[in-house]
Amino acid sequence: MTLAVRVPEELSARVPVEQRGPGLDRDAVRLLVSRGAEVAHHTFAELPRLLRAGDLLVVNTSATLAAAVDGRSGHARVVVHFSTRGDDGRWAVELREPDGRGTTRVRAGGPAGTEVRLPGGTGLVLEEPLSGRGDRLWWARVSGPGVPGLLREHGRPIRYAYTERDQPLSVHQTVFALPSADGTGSAEMPSAARPFTARLVAELVSRGVQFAPVTLHTGVASTEAHEPPYPERFAVPEASARLIDAARAGGGRVVAVGTTAVRAVESAVGSDGAVRARAGWTDLVVTPERGVRVVDGLLTGLHEPEASHLLMLEAVAGRTALERGYEAALQGRYLWHEFGDLHLVLP
């Protein structure tokens, strides 16, 4: 689906909320709350009062990588966005062009055999497109030192043109982020969890709200083409599966923090409706036709009208609620993108 709305450029969040004024913390963003067609306006710091004892928040623990690295292909300067590591050791990458303003613009993909020189003696060769849907992302063979070390030493967080400046990697980590043993993580921040602070988490726990950690390593988003999501690596631990099933059995609401958490937990539900521990790759695309089997609510950012994520939102909230919520967000001048305001959809 697409929404018949236009998001003005000035509604892009250009810097994190804590950099917009003295004394602000991450939870100072605004929170739009949708219950059916009813809409209410809050701040994110009010979240503990909007949930109730027995509710369960499913959170993504994937850490954000410094996934953008400068390189050269022939005489041309390029920026490599490292997206996803494959089981065979190759990486899915997107090559982009510097735009002269500190960000990048889209670049024609390929061809196979394209070589890129990267810092520290690392080389990269494009081998084949990631899928038949297009040639934006390619599987690439990387030679020299390992990619995790390359990103730590020479990488920076992926940044798009609507933001004002580069930010330290710490700005792109959520309070739930845990580094993985193999150095993999998310190419872009699981941003719905960004407004949580340690204080807010403690308050939620004290009110009887539980947390179920899952992991889904997000790949590079398609900001220009709005393609459906590619397969991503995920894990739902046994303890979290039990927490989710127990919350549902006890009448609590399962609220996913971000579309990544929805994709992970909905990939771990069996035909009997129970959630079980599962890990691997998921190619699940949640649509209104498929629906959701586990998730009752969703906490998410505001997405572009053409974004594929809106299919998932419609599956959770319904078309009417989604349209009403986005209309209210535009009228209320809410801010979009990863440093922007949040939308809580409740049953």
mmCIF file of all heavy atoms in Angstrom, residues 3-51:
data_model
loop_
_atom_site.group_PDB
_atom_site.id
_atom_site.type_symbol
_atom_site.label_atom_id
_atom_site.label_comp_id
_atom_site.label_asym_id
_atom_site.label_seq_id
_atom_site.Cartn_x
_atom_site.Cartn_y
_atom_site.Cartn_z
ATOM 1 N N LEU A 3 0.352 5.564 1.118
ATOM 2 C CA LEU A 3 -0.548 6.537 1.719
ATOM 3 C C LEU A 3 -0.577 7.784 0.852
ATOM 4 O O LEU A 3 0.446 8.209 0.323
ATOM 5 C CB LEU A 3 -0.074 6.903 3.130
ATOM 6 C CG LEU A 3 -0.227 5.824 4.199
ATOM 7 C CD1 LEU A 3 0.386 6.306 5.503
ATOM 8 C CD2 LEU A 3 -1.690 5.459 4.417
ATOM 9 N N ALA A 4 -1.751 8.361 0.712
ATOM 10 C CA ALA A 4 -1.914 9.554 -0.110
ATOM 11 C C ALA A 4 -1.523 10.792 0.695
ATOM 12 O O ALA A 4 -2.341 11.676 0.938
ATOM 13 C CB ALA A 4 -3.351 9.656 -0.614
ATOM 14 N N VAL A 5 -0.281 10.810 1.152
ATOM 15 C CA VAL A 5 0.219 11.947 1.912
ATOM 16 C C VAL A 5 1.595 12.314 1.375
ATOM 17 O O VAL A 5 2.276 11.507 0.760
ATOM 18 C CB VAL A 5 0.327 11.637 3.429
ATOM 19 C CG1 VAL A 5 -1.030 11.310 4.014
ATOM 20 C CG2 VAL A 5 1.302 10.494 3.695
ATOM 21 N N ARG A 6 1.972 13.557 1.615
ATOM 22 C CA ARG A 6 3.316 14.009 1.270
ATOM 23 C C ARG A 6 3.974 14.527 2.536
ATOM 24 O O ARG A 6 3.378 15.324 3.262
ATOM 25 C CB ARG A 6 3.261 15.119 0.219
ATOM 26 C CG ARG A 6 4.631 15.536 -0.305
ATOM 27 C CD ARG A 6 4.525 16.728 -1.236
ATOM 28 N NE ARG A 6 4.189 17.948 -0.515
ATOM 29 C CZ ARG A 6 5.070 18.716 0.116
ATOM 30 N NH1 ARG A 6 6.360 18.376 0.142
ATOM 31 N NH2 ARG A 6 4.691 19.815 0.737
ATOM 32 N N VAL A 7 5.172 14.034 2.825
ATOM 33 C CA VAL A 7 5.877 14.443 4.035
ATOM 34 C C VAL A 7 6.791 15.610 3.686
ATOM 35 O O VAL A 7 7.747 15.440 2.923
ATOM 36 C CB VAL A 7 6.697 13.273 4.622
ATOM 37 C CG1 VAL A 7 7.387 13.722 5.905
ATOM 38 C CG2 VAL A 7 5.797 12.070 4.887
ATOM 39 N N PRO A 8 6.520 16.803 4.217
ATOM 40 C CA PRO A 8 7.380 17.950 3.906
ATOM 41 C C PRO A 8 8.811 17.717 4.383
ATOM 42 O O PRO A 8 9.039 17.065 5.400
ATOM 43 C CB PRO A 8 6.730 19.106 4.687
ATOM 44 C CG PRO A 8 5.343 18.652 4.991
ATOM 45 C CD PRO A 8 5.405 17.162 5.101
ATOM 46 N N GLU A 9 9.761 18.260 3.632
ATOM 47 C CA GLU A 9 11.172 18.050 3.952
ATOM 48 C C GLU A 9 11.509 18.542 5.359
ATOM 49 O O GLU A 9 12.349 17.955 6.051
ATOM 50 C CB GLU A 9 12.036 18.777 2.918
ATOM 51 C CG GLU A 9 13.515 18.454 3.010
ATOM 52 C CD GLU A 9 14.318 19.132 1.909
ATOM 53 O OE1 GLU A 9 13.781 19.282 0.785
ATOM 54 O OE2 GLU A 9 15.470 19.505 2.172
ATOM 55 N N GLU A 10 10.835 19.596 5.815
ATOM 56 C CA GLU A 10 11.161 20.149 7.127
ATOM 57 C C GLU A 10 10.731 19.238 8.275
ATOM 58 O O GLU A 10 11.088 19.476 9.435
ATOM 59 C CB GLU A 10 10.544 21.545 7.305
ATOM 60 C CG GLU A 10 9.032 21.582 7.324
ATOM 61 C CD GLU A 10 8.429 21.844 5.949
ATOM 62 O OE1 GLU A 10 9.119 21.610 4.937
ATOM 63 O OE2 GLU A 10 7.255 22.277 5.891
ATOM 64 N N LEU A 11 9.958 18.182 7.984
ATOM 65 C CA LEU A 11 9.567 17.241 9.036
ATOM 66 C C LEU A 11 10.561 16.086 9.174
ATOM 67 O O LEU A 11 10.315 15.150 9.936
ATOM 68 C CB LEU A 11 8.156 16.697 8.783
ATOM 69 C CG LEU A 11 7.021 17.720 8.888
ATOM 70 C CD1 LEU A 11 5.664 17.041 8.802
ATOM 71 C CD2 LEU A 11 7.131 18.547 10.169
ATOM 72 N N SER A 12 11.668 16.133 8.469
ATOM 73 C CA SER A 12 12.742 15.151 8.686
ATOM 74 C C SER A 12 13.532 15.553 9.929
ATOM 75 O O SER A 12 13.937 16.709 10.060
ATOM 76 C CB SER A 12 13.685 15.114 7.477
ATOM 77 O OG SER A 12 13.029 14.614 6.342
ATOM 78 N N ALA A 13 13.729 14.592 10.837
ATOM 79 C CA ALA A 13 14.537 14.859 12.032
ATOM 80 C C ALA A 13 15.999 14.911 11.612
ATOM 81 O O ALA A 13 16.573 13.896 11.229
ATOM 82 C CB ALA A 13 14.305 13.783 13.079
ATOM 83 N N ARG A 14 16.599 16.076 11.710
ATOM 84 C CA ARG A 14 17.956 16.257 11.185
ATOM 85 C C ARG A 14 19.042 15.918 12.194
ATOM 86 O O ARG A 14 20.162 15.588 11.827
ATOM 87 C CB ARG A 14 18.112 17.692 10.678
ATOM 88 C CG ARG A 14 17.204 17.971 9.485
ATOM 89 C CD ARG A 14 17.313 19.405 8.985
ATOM 90 N NE ARG A 14 18.654 19.768 8.556
ATOM 91 C CZ ARG A 14 19.206 19.397 7.407
ATOM 92 N NH1 ARG A 14 18.540 18.629 6.572
ATOM 93 N NH2 ARG A 14 20.423 19.787 7.087
ATOM 94 N N VAL A 15 18.709 16.020 13.486
ATOM 95 C CA VAL A 15 19.650 15.648 14.549
ATOM 96 C C VAL A 15 18.876 14.915 15.637
ATOM 97 O O VAL A 15 17.654 15.044 15.747
ATOM 98 C CB VAL A 15 20.362 16.889 15.162
ATOM 99 C CG1 VAL A 15 21.238 17.571 14.128
ATOM 100 C CG2 VAL A 15 19.355 17.854 15.765
ATOM 101 N N PRO A 16 19.546 14.131 16.489
ATOM 102 C CA PRO A 16 18.871 13.467 17.603
ATOM 103 C C PRO A 16 18.251 14.489 18.559
ATOM 104 O O PRO A 16 18.745 15.614 18.689
ATOM 105 C CB PRO A 16 19.990 12.677 18.282
ATOM 106 C CG PRO A 16 21.065 12.564 17.269
ATOM 107 C CD PRO A 16 20.978 13.786 16.419
ATOM 108 N N VAL A 17 17.194 14.074 19.244
ATOM 109 C CA VAL A 17 16.452 15.002 20.097
ATOM 110 C C VAL A 17 17.327 15.587 21.192
ATOM 111 O O VAL A 17 17.186 16.760 21.554
ATOM 112 C CB VAL A 17 15.207 14.303 20.703
ATOM 113 C CG1 VAL A 17 15.593 13.146 21.618
ATOM 114 C CG2 VAL A 17 14.314 15.300 21.431
ATOM 115 N N GLU A 18 18.284 14.815 21.725
ATOM 116 C CA GLU A 18 19.107 15.310 22.837
ATOM 117 C C GLU A 18 20.058 16.419 22.391
ATOM 118 O O GLU A 18 20.668 17.085 23.238
ATOM 119 C CB GLU A 18 19.864 14.162 23.501
ATOM 120 C CG GLU A 18 20.873 13.436 22.633
ATOM 121 C CD GLU A 18 20.290 12.281 21.856
ATOM 122 O OE1 GLU A 18 19.048 12.253 21.640
ATOM 123 O OE2 GLU A 18 21.070 11.399 21.446
ATOM 124 N N GLN A 19 20.189 16.619 21.071
ATOM 125 C CA GLN A 19 21.028 17.708 20.564
ATOM 126 C C GLN A 19 20.212 18.946 20.181
ATOM 127 O O GLN A 19 20.756 19.915 19.666
ATOM 128 C CB GLN A 19 21.826 17.216 19.351
ATOM 129 C CG GLN A 19 22.805 16.096 19.671
ATOM 130 C CD GLN A 19 23.523 15.572 18.450
ATOM 131 O OE1 GLN A 19 23.531 16.202 17.398
ATOM 132 N NE2 GLN A 19 24.145 14.394 18.581
ATOM 133 N N ARG A 20 18.910 18.903 20.464
ATOM 134 C CA ARG A 20 18.047 20.026 20.069
ATOM 135 C C ARG A 20 17.868 21.056 21.169
ATOM 136 O O ARG A 20 17.249 22.095 20.946
ATOM 137 C CB ARG A 20 16.680 19.502 19.625
ATOM 138 C CG ARG A 20 16.734 18.645 18.375
ATOM 139 C CD ARG A 20 15.374 18.110 17.992
ATOM 140 N NE ARG A 20 15.500 16.840 17.294
ATOM 141 C CZ ARG A 20 14.580 15.895 17.287
ATOM 142 N NH1 ARG A 20 13.452 16.067 17.961
ATOM 143 N NH2 ARG A 20 14.781 14.765 16.633
ATOM 144 N N GLY A 21 18.349 20.779 22.355
ATOM 145 C CA GLY A 21 18.193 21.743 23.432
ATOM 146 C C GLY A 21 18.787 21.209 24.718
ATOM 147 O O GLY A 21 18.963 19.990 24.870
ATOM 148 N N PRO A 22 19.095 22.091 25.671
ATOM 149 C CA PRO A 22 19.707 21.649 26.937
ATOM 150 C C PRO A 22 18.729 20.818 27.764
ATOM 151 O O PRO A 22 17.519 21.064 27.775
ATOM 152 C CB PRO A 22 20.048 22.972 27.643
ATOM 153 C CG PRO A 22 19.144 23.987 27.017
ATOM 154 C CD PRO A 22 18.912 23.550 25.614
ATOM 155 N N GLY A 23 19.272 19.823 28.441
ATOM 156 C CA GLY A 23 18.473 19.030 29.373
ATOM 157 C C GLY A 23 17.594 17.975 28.745
ATOM 158 O O GLY A 23 16.830 17.309 29.444
ATOM 159 N N LEU A 24 17.681 17.782 27.429
ATOM 160 C CA LEU A 24 16.846 16.785 26.764
ATOM 161 C C LEU A 24 17.548 15.435 26.735
ATOM 162 O O LEU A 24 18.739 15.350 26.494
ATOM 163 C CB LEU A 24 16.528 17.219 25.328
ATOM 164 C CG LEU A 24 15.701 18.498 25.166
ATOM 165 C CD1 LEU A 24 15.522 18.822 23.691
ATOM 166 C CD2 LEU A 24 14.339 18.354 25.847
ATOM 167 N N ASP A 25 16.784 14.380 26.968
ATOM 168 C CA ASP A 25 17.300 13.020 26.843
ATOM 169 C C ASP A 25 16.612 12.358 25.656
ATOM 170 O O ASP A 25 15.700 12.927 25.040
ATOM 171 C CB ASP A 25 17.062 12.233 28.140
ATOM 172 C CG ASP A 25 18.079 11.100 28.329
ATOM 173 O OD1 ASP A 25 18.742 10.718 27.337
ATOM 174 O OD2 ASP A 25 18.202 10.598 29.463
ATOM 175 N N ARG A 26 17.006 11.140 25.366
ATOM 176 C CA ARG A 26 16.442 10.444 24.210
ATOM 177 C C ARG A 26 14.927 10.288 24.285
ATOM 178 O O ARG A 26 14.249 10.229 23.255
ATOM 179 C CB ARG A 26 17.077 9.057 24.073
ATOM 180 C CG ARG A 26 18.532 9.075 23.644
ATOM 181 C CD ARG A 26 19.028 7.654 23.446
ATOM 182 N NE ARG A 26 20.391 7.623 22.931
ATOM 183 C CZ ARG A 26 20.880 6.619 22.201
ATOM 184 N NH1 ARG A 26 20.115 5.583 21.909
ATOM 185 N NH2 ARG A 26 22.121 6.656 21.766
ATOM 186 N N ASP A 27 14.378 10.202 25.505
ATOM 187 C CA ASP A 27 12.937 9.965 25.634
ATOM 188 C C ASP A 27 12.110 11.242 25.512
ATOM 189 O O ASP A 27 10.905 11.240 25.766
ATOM 190 C CB ASP A 27 12.618 9.246 26.948
ATOM 191 C CG ASP A 27 13.064 10.005 28.186
ATOM 192 O OD1 ASP A 27 13.515 11.152 28.056
ATOM 193 O OD2 ASP A 27 12.962 9.437 29.296
ATOM 194 N N ALA A 28 12.739 12.340 25.082
ATOM 195 C CA ALA A 28 12.013 13.603 24.908
ATOM 196 C C ALA A 28 11.304 13.697 23.557
ATOM 197 O O ALA A 28 10.657 14.707 23.276
ATOM 198 C CB ALA A 28 12.962 14.786 25.078
ATOM 199 N N VAL A 29 11.412 12.662 22.713
ATOM 200 C CA VAL A 29 10.666 12.684 21.448
ATOM 201 C C VAL A 29 9.177 12.564 21.737
ATOM 202 O O VAL A 29 8.755 12.158 22.815
ATOM 203 C CB VAL A 29 11.118 11.549 20.495
ATOM 204 C CG1 VAL A 29 12.545 11.758 20.047
ATOM 205 C CG2 VAL A 29 10.936 10.186 21.143
ATOM 206 N N ARG A 30 8.386 12.902 20.755
ATOM 207 C CA ARG A 30 6.934 12.815 20.901
ATOM 208 C C ARG A 30 6.458 11.402 20.570
ATOM 209 O O ARG A 30 7.133 10.641 19.880
ATOM 210 C CB ARG A 30 6.261 13.838 19.992
ATOM 211 C CG ARG A 30 6.651 15.272 20.329
ATOM 212 C CD ARG A 30 6.218 16.237 19.243
ATOM 213 N NE ARG A 30 4.773 16.392 19.219
ATOM 214 C CZ ARG A 30 4.098 16.945 18.203
ATOM 215 N NH1 ARG A 30 4.749 17.353 17.124
ATOM 216 N NH2 ARG A 30 2.788 17.068 18.267
ATOM 217 N N LEU A 31 5.276 11.076 21.076
ATOM 218 C CA LEU A 31 4.706 9.746 20.883
ATOM 219 C C LEU A 31 3.248 9.881 20.483
ATOM 220 O O LEU A 31 2.417 10.360 21.265
ATOM 221 C CB LEU A 31 4.833 8.919 22.169
ATOM 222 C CG LEU A 31 4.270 7.492 22.122
ATOM 223 C CD1 LEU A 31 5.030 6.637 21.106
ATOM 224 C CD2 LEU A 31 4.326 6.843 23.510
ATOM 225 N N LEU A 32 2.959 9.476 19.270
ATOM 226 C CA LEU A 32 1.585 9.423 18.777
ATOM 227 C C LEU A 32 1.024 8.045 19.127
ATOM 228 O O LEU A 32 1.665 7.027 18.856
ATOM 229 C CB LEU A 32 1.568 9.628 17.269
ATOM 230 C CG LEU A 32 0.208 9.655 16.580
ATOM 231 C CD1 LEU A 32 -0.481 10.981 16.838
ATOM 232 C CD2 LEU A 32 0.374 9.440 15.076
ATOM 233 N N VAL A 33 -0.150 8.001 19.736
ATOM 234 C CA VAL A 33 -0.741 6.728 20.153
ATOM 235 C C VAL A 33 -2.033 6.500 19.386
ATOM 236 O O VAL A 33 -2.942 7.338 19.409
ATOM 237 C CB VAL A 33 -1.016 6.705 21.672
ATOM 238 C CG1 VAL A 33 -1.618 5.360 22.080
ATOM 239 C CG2 VAL A 33 0.283 6.955 22.440
ATOM 240 N N SER A 34 -2.108 5.363 18.685
ATOM 241 C CA SER A 34 -3.302 4.996 17.928
ATOM 242 C C SER A 34 -3.965 3.792 18.577
ATOM 243 O O SER A 34 -3.317 2.766 18.818
ATOM 244 C CB SER A 34 -2.938 4.640 16.480
ATOM 245 O OG SER A 34 -2.489 5.766 15.774
ATOM 246 N N ARG A 35 -5.257 3.937 18.870
ATOM 247 C CA ARG A 35 -6.098 2.808 19.286
ATOM 248 C C ARG A 35 -7.294 2.786 18.347
ATOM 249 O O ARG A 35 -8.228 3.561 18.516
ATOM 250 C CB ARG A 35 -6.563 2.959 20.731
ATOM 251 C CG ARG A 35 -5.464 2.832 21.780
ATOM 252 C CD ARG A 35 -6.084 2.919 23.182
ATOM 253 N NE ARG A 35 -5.110 2.767 24.240
ATOM 254 C CZ ARG A 35 -4.408 3.776 24.770
ATOM 255 N NH1 ARG A 35 -4.581 5.010 24.298
ATOM 256 N NH2 ARG A 35 -3.541 3.565 25.745
ATOM 257 N N GLY A 36 -7.233 1.911 17.343
ATOM 258 C CA GLY A 36 -8.248 1.981 16.300
ATOM 259 C C GLY A 36 -8.149 3.329 15.608
ATOM 260 O O GLY A 36 -7.060 3.793 15.272
ATOM 261 N N ALA A 37 -9.279 4.005 15.426
ATOM 262 C CA ALA A 37 -9.273 5.311 14.766
ATOM 263 C C ALA A 37 -9.015 6.450 15.747
ATOM 264 O O ALA A 37 -8.928 7.609 15.346
ATOM 265 C CB ALA A 37 -10.599 5.536 14.052
ATOM 266 N N GLU A 38 -8.877 6.138 17.039
ATOM 267 C CA GLU A 38 -8.626 7.173 18.036
ATOM 268 C C GLU A 38 -7.131 7.469 18.118
ATOM 269 O O GLU A 38 -6.309 6.562 18.121
ATOM 270 C CB GLU A 38 -9.131 6.729 19.416
ATOM 271 C CG GLU A 38 -10.635 6.574 19.491
ATOM 272 C CD GLU A 38 -11.090 6.172 20.886
ATOM 273 O OE1 GLU A 38 -10.245 6.186 21.814
ATOM 274 O OE2 GLU A 38 -12.270 5.834 21.033
ATOM 275 N N VAL A 39 -6.805 8.748 18.220
ATOM 276 C CA VAL A 39 -5.413 9.179 18.254
ATOM 277 C C VAL A 39 -5.203 10.086 19.456
ATOM 278 O O VAL A 39 -6.049 10.926 19.762
ATOM 279 C CB VAL A 39 -5.036 9.932 16.955
ATOM 280 C CG1 VAL A 39 -3.623 10.479 17.041
ATOM 281 C CG2 VAL A 39 -5.161 9.010 15.758
ATOM 282 N N ALA A 40 -4.071 9.884 20.151
ATOM 283 C CA ALA A 40 -3.724 10.740 21.286
ATOM 284 C C ALA A 40 -2.258 11.142 21.164
ATOM 285 O O ALA A 40 -1.448 10.429 20.568
ATOM 286 C CB ALA A 40 -3.970 10.017 22.605
ATOM 287 N N HIS A 41 -1.917 12.280 21.761
ATOM 288 C CA HIS A 41 -0.576 12.833 21.661
ATOM 289 C C HIS A 41 0.102 12.796 23.031
ATOM 290 O O HIS A 41 -0.460 13.257 24.024
ATOM 291 C CB HIS A 41 -0.636 14.267 21.135
ATOM 292 C CG HIS A 41 -1.310 14.388 19.801
ATOM 293 N ND1 HIS A 41 -0.646 14.158 18.610
ATOM 294 C CD2 HIS A 41 -2.591 14.678 19.472
ATOM 295 C CE1 HIS A 41 -1.493 14.328 17.601
ATOM 296 N NE2 HIS A 41 -2.673 14.640 18.092
ATOM 297 N N HIS A 42 1.317 12.259 23.069
ATOM 298 C CA HIS A 42 2.067 12.119 24.318
ATOM 299 C C HIS A 42 3.537 12.409 24.038
ATOM 300 O O HIS A 42 3.938 12.635 22.897
ATOM 301 C CB HIS A 42 1.926 10.694 24.882
ATOM 302 C CG HIS A 42 0.528 10.328 25.271
ATOM 303 N ND1 HIS A 42 0.021 10.540 26.529
ATOM 304 C CD2 HIS A 42 -0.483 9.750 24.552
ATOM 305 C CE1 HIS A 42 -1.229 10.116 26.584
ATOM 306 N NE2 HIS A 42 -1.556 9.633 25.393
ATOM 307 N N THR A 43 4.356 12.342 25.087
ATOM 308 C CA THR A 43 5.806 12.255 24.909
ATOM 309 C C THR A 43 6.209 10.814 25.187
ATOM 310 O O THR A 43 5.490 10.064 25.868
ATOM 311 C CB THR A 43 6.564 13.186 25.869
ATOM 312 O OG1 THR A 43 6.361 12.740 27.216
ATOM 313 C CG2 THR A 43 6.096 14.625 25.717
ATOM 314 N N PHE A 44 7.376 10.442 24.696
ATOM 315 C CA PHE A 44 7.810 9.060 24.884
ATOM 316 C C PHE A 44 8.025 8.732 26.359
ATOM 317 O O PHE A 44 7.820 7.586 26.780
ATOM 318 C CB PHE A 44 9.095 8.792 24.094
ATOM 319 C CG PHE A 44 9.413 7.336 23.968
ATOM 320 C CD1 PHE A 44 8.801 6.568 23.001
ATOM 321 C CD2 PHE A 44 10.311 6.724 24.832
ATOM 322 C CE1 PHE A 44 9.076 5.204 22.896
ATOM 323 C CE2 PHE A 44 10.597 5.375 24.725
ATOM 324 C CZ PHE A 44 9.972 4.608 23.757
ATOM 325 N N ALA A 45 8.399 9.727 27.152
ATOM 326 C CA ALA A 45 8.616 9.504 28.585
ATOM 327 C C ALA A 45 7.347 9.040 29.294
ATOM 328 O O ALA A 45 7.419 8.489 30.395
ATOM 329 C CB ALA A 45 9.148 10.767 29.239
ATOM 330 N N GLU A 46 6.190 9.231 28.667
ATOM 331 C CA GLU A 46 4.918 8.797 29.258
ATOM 332 C C GLU A 46 4.589 7.341 28.964
ATOM 333 O O GLU A 46 3.549 6.843 29.408
ATOM 334 C CB GLU A 46 3.780 9.684 28.736
ATOM 335 C CG GLU A 46 3.871 11.141 29.125
ATOM 336 C CD GLU A 46 2.764 11.962 28.487
ATOM 337 O OE1 GLU A 46 1.642 11.989 29.041
ATOM 338 O OE2 GLU A 46 3.020 12.563 27.418
ATOM 339 N N LEU A 47 5.448 6.648 28.234
ATOM 340 C CA LEU A 47 5.155 5.268 27.836
ATOM 341 C C LEU A 47 4.766 4.369 29.007
ATOM 342 O O LEU A 47 3.824 3.568 28.875
ATOM 343 C CB LEU A 47 6.351 4.678 27.083
ATOM 344 C CG LEU A 47 6.182 3.242 26.574
ATOM 345 C CD1 LEU A 47 5.077 3.152 25.526
ATOM 346 C CD2 LEU A 47 7.506 2.720 26.000
ATOM 347 N N PRO A 48 5.439 4.434 30.174
ATOM 348 C CA PRO A 48 5.040 3.537 31.273
ATOM 349 C C PRO A 48 3.575 3.681 31.680
ATOM 350 O O PRO A 48 2.960 2.713 32.132
ATOM 351 C CB PRO A 48 5.986 3.949 32.418
ATOM 352 C CG PRO A 48 7.200 4.473 31.716
ATOM 353 C CD PRO A 48 6.668 5.193 30.511
ATOM 354 N N ARG A 49 2.995 4.851 31.493
ATOM 355 C CA ARG A 49 1.587 5.047 31.860
ATOM 356 C C ARG A 49 0.634 4.563 30.771
ATOM 357 O O ARG A 49 -0.578 4.453 31.014
ATOM 358 C CB ARG A 49 1.331 6.532 32.150
ATOM 359 C CG ARG A 49 1.909 6.975 33.491
ATOM 360 C CD ARG A 49 1.515 8.392 33.824
ATOM 361 N NE ARG A 49 2.422 9.364 33.217
ATOM 362 C CZ ARG A 49 2.059 10.574 32.832
ATOM 363 N NH1 ARG A 49 0.813 10.965 32.962
ATOM 364 N NH2 ARG A 49 2.939 11.395 32.309
ATOM 365 N N LEU A 50 1.168 4.298 29.591
ATOM 366 C CA LEU A 50 0.332 3.843 28.480
ATOM 367 C C LEU A 50 0.287 2.320 28.374
ATOM 368 O O LEU A 50 -0.560 1.770 27.668
ATOM 369 C CB LEU A 50 0.851 4.434 27.171
ATOM 370 C CG LEU A 50 0.866 5.965 27.114
ATOM 371 C CD1 LEU A 50 1.651 6.449 25.902
ATOM 372 C CD2 LEU A 50 -0.560 6.497 27.082
ATOM 373 N N LEU A 51 1.202 1.657 29.063
ATOM 374 C CA LEU A 51 1.209 0.203 29.114
ATOM 375 C C LEU A 51 0.720 -0.246 30.483
ATOM 376 O O LEU A 51 0.533 0.565 31.385
ATOM 377 C CB LEU A 51 2.618 -0.329 28.827
ATOM 378 C CG LEU A 51 3.202 0.055 27.461
ATOM 379 C CD1 LEU A 51 4.627 -0.449 27.323
ATOM 380 C CD2 LEU A 51 2.331 -0.477 26.319
#
